[in-house]
Amino acid sequence: MKFVDEASIDVAAGDGGNGCVSFRHEKFKEFGGPNGGDGGRGGHVYALADPNLNTLVDFRYTRRFEARRGEHGMGSDMFGAAGDDITLKMPVGTIISDAETGEVLHELLMPGEKVLIAKGGDGGFGNLRFKSAVNRAPRQKTPGWPGERKSLQLELKVLADVGLLGMPNAGKSTLIAAVSNARPKIADYPFTTLHPNLGVVRVGPEQSFVIADIPGLIEGASEGAGLGHQFLRHLQRTRLLLHIVDLAPFDPDVDPVAQAKAIAAELKKYDPRLYAKPRWLVLNKLDMVPVEERAARVKDFVKRLRWKGPVFEISALTREGCEPLMQAIYQHVQAEQKAENAQPERDPRFEADAAAHSDES
C-alpha cells in the first residue's frame, strides 16, 4: 500500500429537512387541527481513529464526502427521518486542521477515538409546533438549517516511542529489522527507505515499545536535498531519538563526525523542540571494525564530536549490543510514561482547609 501522510478533503454534513404545513382531514371530522411534522436532522460527519490503518491513501483519490440530508416533515404528525451519518476512518495520529485558517480542530491519538468534524443541520419546524390557544390554525413553518461544510487538511504523524535518525545507509532499517518484526527494504544504496516503518520491540512479557524508522537525512535537507524534511514530522511525538552513525563508512574520505554534526544541524533547523528531545548516540557497524581498534575509534569519535550524552556500540547486522540497547530504551520509555501519568502534588496551602471540612462533617 502506498504511504501517504498528507491529504486535503472537503466534508459536507447533511441539511435539515423542511417543516410541513398540514391540517387534519377526516370524513365527518370538521375543524381538524394542524398536524404538520418537523423535518429530520441532517447526517453528521465523524472521524474515527482506526489502528488498522497506517496511511491516508484513501483520501488522496476521494476528496469529497457528503452526508445525506434529513427528510422533510409530512402530515399526520409524521416527522422526517434523520439523515444517515458517515464515518471516515483515519490512522491513529492524524491531525485534522482547517484548510483555510490552519487551526487544528482535532488530533486522533487513541485507537477507537471518534470525533465530530461536521455537524448536520437541524430540521425545520412544522406548523404543529406553532399551535397555541390564540393561533389554532397556524400556517407557519421553517426550512431546515444547512449542515456544516468544511475544507480540511489531514496530516499523519505516526505514534512511536522511539525514532531512528541518521544518514542514508547508516543501518537504521537493519536495526529495526533486527529488533522487531518489521521487514523494511534493505539494500546497499542510499534512500532505500522511502517512507516511515514502524516496529514493535518486545523486551519481555507485556513489555514492549514502538520504534519508527524514517528515510535518511543528508546535509542540505532544509534546502530540499535528498528527501528533505518531509518525514521528520513523524519523530515529533517520540519520547527518544536514536542517532545512528555508521562508524565504518565504505568511502574512506567520509568523516562520520562531520556527518553526525550535519544531522544535528538539520534537526535544529527543522524544529528546535525536536532537537531538544532526549537523543542517544548509537555507533553502528562495529562488525566492520577490527576488535583491537574499536575502543580507540569510539573514543576518538566521541571526543571529536564533543558528545556528552549516552553512547551505545552495536552491530545491527550481527545483533551485537542490541539487547542492552533495547533494555535501556524500555527503561527510559517507562520512566517517561510514569512521569507523564504522575499525579500533580497537592498544594499544602489547601491541606488545612481539607482537614477542617472533614472535621466539620
Side-chain angles (χ1 to χ4, degrees):
M1 181 182 293
K2 183 177 180 181
F3 184 84
V4 177
D5 58 0
E6 286 185 335
S8 297
I9 63 173
D10 295 320
V11 295
D15 297 336
N18 299 329
C20 173
V21 173
S22 176
F23 292 91
R24 180 182 174 192
H25 294 285
E26 292 184 36
K27 194 173 183 180
F28 308 120
K29 298 284 186 180
E30 58 183 347
F31 306 115
N35 66 355
D38 297 345
R41 169 187 63 79
H44 300 318
V45 181
Y46 292 95
L48 175 67
D50 189 342
N52 298 315
L53 299 178
N54 57 10
T55 175
L56 294 171
V57 67
D58 293 336
F59 303 100
R60 176 58 64 91
Y61 305 106
T62 305
R63 301 199 173 198
R64 183 165 181 83
F65 301 89
E66 296 183 7
R68 294 180 64 87
R69 69 168 301 147
E71 293 186 3
H72 301 312
M74 292 174 284
S76 301
D77 299 334
M78 289 191 291
F79 286 26
D84 294 333
D85 301 333
I86 60 174
T87 301
L88 308 180
K89 294 183 178 181
M90 302 179 183
V92 179
T94 301
I95 299 175
I96 304 172
S97 305
D98 190 297
E100 297 178 358
T101 65
E103 177 187 3
V104 175
L105 304 178
H106 305 284
E107 290 190 48
L108 303 178
L109 301 179
M110 299 295 295
E113 183 179 0
K114 190 175 183 179
V115 297
L116 177 67
I117 56 178
K119 183 179 182 299
D122 294 329
F125 293 153
N127 65 337
L128 180 62
R129 291 273 190 172
F130 297 96
K131 181 178 67 173
S132 68
V134 296
N135 188 8
R136 297 187 178 184
R139 297 183 179 276
Q140 298 99 325
K141 67 173 182 178
T142 59
W145 276 259
E148 292 183 333
R149 286 163 172 75
K150 296 180 180 179
S151 295
L152 302 176
Q153 181 71 28
L154 306 182
E155 181 182 9
L156 174 61
K157 293 181 181 178
V158 298
L159 296 179
D161 299 302
V162 182
L164 302 183
L165 189 69
M167 300 288 284
N169 272 16
K172 302 185 297 300
S173 297
T174 305
L175 176 60
I176 195 174
V179 300
S180 73
N181 288 331
R183 292 295 175 262
K185 183 177 180 181
I186 300 174
D188 58 352
Y189 55 84
F191 298 111
T192 311
T193 302
L194 298 177
H195 57 80
N197 294 299
L198 292 181
V200 178
V201 180
R202 300 190 183 279
V203 297
E206 299 182 0
Q207 296 179 345
S208 62
F209 59 89
V210 180
I211 191 168
D213 169 29
I214 68 167
L217 281 180
I218 62 174
E219 188 172 5
S222 57
E223 284 78 37
L227 294 179
H229 289 157
Q230 182 179 357
F231 296 104
L232 277 180
R233 70 168 72 94
H234 298 291
L235 300 181
Q236 291 179 327
R237 287 179 172 150
T238 58
R239 294 184 171 91
L240 175 67
L241 298 179
L242 298 184
H243 188 165
I244 312 297
V245 177
D246 182 358
L247 204 61
F250 289 107
D251 188 351
D253 296 330
V254 172
D255 184 6
V257 175
Q259 289 186 333
K261 290 181 177 179
I263 292 293
E266 293 298 332
L267 197 64
K268 194 171 185 179
K269 287 179 183 178
Y270 176 75
D271 186 356
R273 291 175 299 178
L274 185 59
Y275 176 79
K277 280 183 178 288
R279 187 155 34 100
W280 292 359
L281 190 64
V282 179
L283 305 181
N284 191 22
K285 301 187 181 180
L286 283 185
D287 57 296
M288 304 288 291
V289 181
V291 178
E292 61 275 8
E293 298 180 12
R294 291 181 183 178
R297 187 174 296 192
V298 169
K299 183 178 179 181
D300 177 67
F301 180 89
V302 173
K303 181 179 179 181
R304 292 170 54 205
L305 188 61
R306 298 180 180 178
W307 182 258
K308 304 297 182 183
V311 180
F312 293 85
E313 306 167 28
I314 71 165
S315 170
L317 184 63
T318 64
R319 305 191 180 187
E320 178 185 353
C322 291
E323 182 63 24
L325 173 61
M326 296 302 112
Q327 292 290 345
I329 292 174
Y330 178 74
Q331 297 299 328
H332 177 84
V333 170
Q334 283 295 100
E336 290 283 328
Q337 290 178 341
K338 289 180 180 179
E340 292 175 3
N341 299 330
Q343 295 293 333
E345 295 184 3
R346 186 178 178 85
D347 193 325
R349 293 175 296 176
F350 300 109
E351 294 292 345
D353 293 341
H357 283 299
S358 62
D359 292 341
E360 291 175 2
S361 59

Short mmCIF file of all heavy atoms in Angstrom, two decimals, residues 175 178-179 201-204 207 209 312-315 319-330:
data_model
loop_
_atom_site.label_atom_id
_atom_site.label_comp_id
_atom_site.label_asym_id
_atom_site.label_seq_id
_atom_site.Cartn_x
_atom_site.Cartn_y
_atom_site.Cartn_z
N LEU A 175 18.63 -2.22 11.75
CA LEU A 175 18.40 -2.27 13.20
C LEU A 175 16.95 -2.57 13.52
O LEU A 175 16.66 -3.44 14.36
CB LEU A 175 18.82 -0.94 13.83
CG LEU A 175 18.55 -0.80 15.33
CD1 LEU A 175 19.29 -1.88 16.11
CD2 LEU A 175 18.94 0.59 15.83
N ALA A 178 16.23 -6.09 12.95
CA ALA A 178 16.89 -7.00 13.89
C ALA A 178 16.17 -7.08 15.23
O ALA A 178 16.17 -8.12 15.88
CB ALA A 178 18.34 -6.55 14.11
N VAL A 179 15.53 -5.99 15.64
CA VAL A 179 14.96 -5.95 16.99
C VAL A 179 13.44 -6.06 17.00
O VAL A 179 12.83 -6.13 18.07
CB VAL A 179 15.38 -4.66 17.73
CG1 VAL A 179 16.89 -4.60 17.85
CG2 VAL A 179 14.84 -3.42 17.02
N VAL A 201 8.93 -3.55 19.47
CA VAL A 201 10.06 -4.23 20.10
C VAL A 201 9.58 -4.81 21.42
O VAL A 201 9.10 -4.08 22.29
CB VAL A 201 11.24 -3.27 20.34
CG1 VAL A 201 12.40 -4.01 20.99
CG2 VAL A 201 11.68 -2.64 19.02
N ARG A 202 9.71 -6.13 21.58
CA ARG A 202 9.31 -6.79 22.82
C ARG A 202 10.57 -7.16 23.61
O ARG A 202 11.41 -7.91 23.11
CB ARG A 202 8.48 -8.03 22.52
CG ARG A 202 7.20 -7.72 21.75
CD ARG A 202 6.28 -8.92 21.67
NE ARG A 202 5.11 -8.61 20.85
CZ ARG A 202 4.03 -7.95 21.29
NH1 ARG A 202 3.99 -7.54 22.55
NH2 ARG A 202 3.01 -7.71 20.49
N VAL A 203 10.66 -6.65 24.82
CA VAL A 203 11.83 -6.93 25.66
C VAL A 203 11.51 -7.91 26.77
O VAL A 203 12.40 -8.30 27.53
CB VAL A 203 12.39 -5.61 26.25
CG1 VAL A 203 12.88 -4.70 25.15
CG2 VAL A 203 11.35 -4.90 27.10
N GLY A 204 10.24 -8.28 26.90
CA GLY A 204 9.83 -9.22 27.93
C GLY A 204 8.32 -9.38 27.89
O GLY A 204 7.63 -8.74 27.10
N GLN A 207 6.05 -6.31 27.99
CA GLN A 207 7.00 -5.20 27.98
C GLN A 207 7.41 -4.93 26.52
O GLN A 207 8.11 -5.74 25.91
CB GLN A 207 8.24 -5.51 28.82
CG GLN A 207 7.95 -5.71 30.30
CD GLN A 207 9.20 -6.03 31.09
OE1 GLN A 207 10.25 -6.38 30.52
NE2 GLN A 207 9.12 -5.92 32.40
N PHE A 209 7.71 -1.59 23.24
CA PHE A 209 7.61 -0.19 22.81
C PHE A 209 7.65 -0.17 21.29
O PHE A 209 7.99 -1.17 20.64
CB PHE A 209 8.73 0.67 23.41
CG PHE A 209 10.13 0.22 23.07
CD1 PHE A 209 10.76 0.68 21.92
CD2 PHE A 209 10.81 -0.65 23.90
CE1 PHE A 209 12.03 0.27 21.59
CE2 PHE A 209 12.10 -1.07 23.58
CZ PHE A 209 12.71 -0.61 22.44
N PHE A 312 26.07 4.13 22.74
CA PHE A 312 25.92 2.68 22.64
C PHE A 312 26.66 2.20 21.40
O PHE A 312 26.61 2.83 20.35
CB PHE A 312 24.45 2.28 22.55
CG PHE A 312 23.67 2.55 23.81
CD1 PHE A 312 23.11 3.81 24.04
CD2 PHE A 312 23.51 1.56 24.77
CE1 PHE A 312 22.41 4.06 25.19
CE2 PHE A 312 22.80 1.81 25.93
CZ PHE A 312 22.24 3.06 26.15
N GLU A 313 27.34 1.07 21.54
CA GLU A 313 28.09 0.49 20.44
C GLU A 313 27.40 -0.81 20.03
O GLU A 313 27.23 -1.71 20.84
CB GLU A 313 29.54 0.20 20.87
CG GLU A 313 30.24 1.42 21.45
CD GLU A 313 31.55 1.04 22.15
OE1 GLU A 313 32.15 0.02 21.76
OE2 GLU A 313 31.93 1.76 23.10
N ILE A 314 26.98 -0.89 18.75
CA ILE A 314 26.23 -2.06 18.29
C ILE A 314 26.68 -2.47 16.90
O ILE A 314 27.38 -1.74 16.20
CB ILE A 314 24.71 -1.78 18.27
CG1 ILE A 314 24.38 -0.80 17.13
CG2 ILE A 314 24.18 -1.29 19.60
CD1 ILE A 314 22.89 -0.73 16.80
N SER A 315 26.21 -3.66 16.53
CA SER A 315 26.26 -4.11 15.14
C SER A 315 24.86 -4.64 14.84
O SER A 315 24.47 -5.71 15.32
CB SER A 315 27.30 -5.20 14.93
OG SER A 315 27.16 -5.77 13.64
N ARG A 319 23.62 -8.23 15.44
CA ARG A 319 22.82 -8.00 16.66
C ARG A 319 23.66 -7.87 17.92
O ARG A 319 23.15 -7.99 19.03
CB ARG A 319 21.77 -9.11 16.85
CG ARG A 319 20.87 -9.28 15.63
CD ARG A 319 19.69 -10.16 15.91
NE ARG A 319 18.86 -10.29 14.71
CZ ARG A 319 17.68 -10.89 14.67
NH1 ARG A 319 17.19 -11.42 15.77
NH2 ARG A 319 17.01 -10.97 13.54
N GLU A 320 24.94 -7.63 17.75
CA GLU A 320 25.82 -7.41 18.90
C GLU A 320 25.47 -6.08 19.57
O GLU A 320 25.43 -5.03 18.92
CB GLU A 320 27.28 -7.42 18.45
CG GLU A 320 28.27 -7.16 19.57
CD GLU A 320 29.71 -7.06 19.06
OE1 GLU A 320 29.93 -7.32 17.85
OE2 GLU A 320 30.59 -6.69 19.85
N GLY A 321 25.24 -6.10 20.85
CA GLY A 321 24.93 -4.88 21.61
C GLY A 321 23.49 -4.42 21.49
O GLY A 321 23.12 -3.42 22.13
N CYS A 322 22.67 -5.08 20.71
CA CYS A 322 21.28 -4.63 20.51
C CYS A 322 20.42 -4.88 21.75
O CYS A 322 19.57 -4.05 22.10
CB CYS A 322 20.66 -5.33 19.31
SG CYS A 322 21.36 -4.82 17.72
N GLU A 323 20.62 -6.01 22.42
CA GLU A 323 19.79 -6.34 23.58
C GLU A 323 19.97 -5.33 24.72
O GLU A 323 18.97 -4.82 25.26
CB GLU A 323 20.09 -7.76 24.06
CG GLU A 323 19.25 -8.21 25.23
CD GLU A 323 17.77 -8.29 24.90
OE1 GLU A 323 17.43 -8.44 23.71
OE2 GLU A 323 16.95 -8.19 25.84
N PRO A 324 21.20 -4.98 25.11
CA PRO A 324 21.35 -3.95 26.16
C PRO A 324 20.76 -2.61 25.74
O PRO A 324 20.18 -1.89 26.58
CB PRO A 324 22.87 -3.85 26.35
CG PRO A 324 23.40 -5.15 25.85
CD PRO A 324 22.51 -5.57 24.74
N LEU A 325 20.87 -2.26 24.46
CA LEU A 325 20.30 -1.01 23.98
C LEU A 325 18.78 -1.02 24.12
O LEU A 325 18.17 -0.05 24.60
CB LEU A 325 20.69 -0.78 22.52
CG LEU A 325 20.03 0.42 21.81
CD1 LEU A 325 20.38 1.72 22.52
CD2 LEU A 325 20.45 0.47 20.35
N MET A 326 18.13 -2.12 23.72
CA MET A 326 16.67 -2.20 23.81
C MET A 326 16.20 -2.16 25.26
O MET A 326 15.18 -1.55 25.58
CB MET A 326 16.16 -3.48 23.13
CG MET A 326 16.43 -3.54 21.63
SD MET A 326 15.70 -2.14 20.72
CE MET A 326 17.19 -1.27 20.20
N GLN A 327 16.92 -2.82 26.15
CA GLN A 327 16.55 -2.79 27.58
C GLN A 327 16.66 -1.37 28.13
O GLN A 327 15.79 -0.91 28.89
CB GLN A 327 17.46 -3.74 28.37
CG GLN A 327 17.24 -5.22 28.08
CD GLN A 327 15.92 -5.74 28.61
OE1 GLN A 327 15.26 -5.09 29.43
NE2 GLN A 327 15.50 -6.92 28.13
N ALA A 328 17.72 -0.67 27.76
CA ALA A 328 17.89 0.72 28.23
C ALA A 328 16.79 1.61 27.69
O ALA A 328 16.27 2.49 28.40
CB ALA A 328 19.27 1.24 27.82
N ILE A 329 16.42 1.41 26.42
CA ILE A 329 15.34 2.20 25.83
C ILE A 329 14.03 1.96 26.56
O ILE A 329 13.29 2.90 26.89
CB ILE A 329 15.19 1.87 24.33
CG1 ILE A 329 16.41 2.35 23.55
CG2 ILE A 329 13.93 2.49 23.77
CD1 ILE A 329 16.40 1.94 22.10
N TYR A 330 13.74 0.69 26.86
CA TYR A 330 12.48 0.37 27.54
C TYR A 330 12.43 1.04 28.92
O TYR A 330 11.39 1.60 29.30
CB TYR A 330 12.33 -1.14 27.68
CG TYR A 330 11.07 -1.53 28.43
CD1 TYR A 330 9.82 -1.43 27.82
CD2 TYR A 330 11.13 -1.95 29.75
CE1 TYR A 330 8.67 -1.76 28.50
CE2 TYR A 330 9.98 -2.29 30.44
CZ TYR A 330 8.75 -2.19 29.81
OH TYR A 330 7.60 -2.51 30.50
#
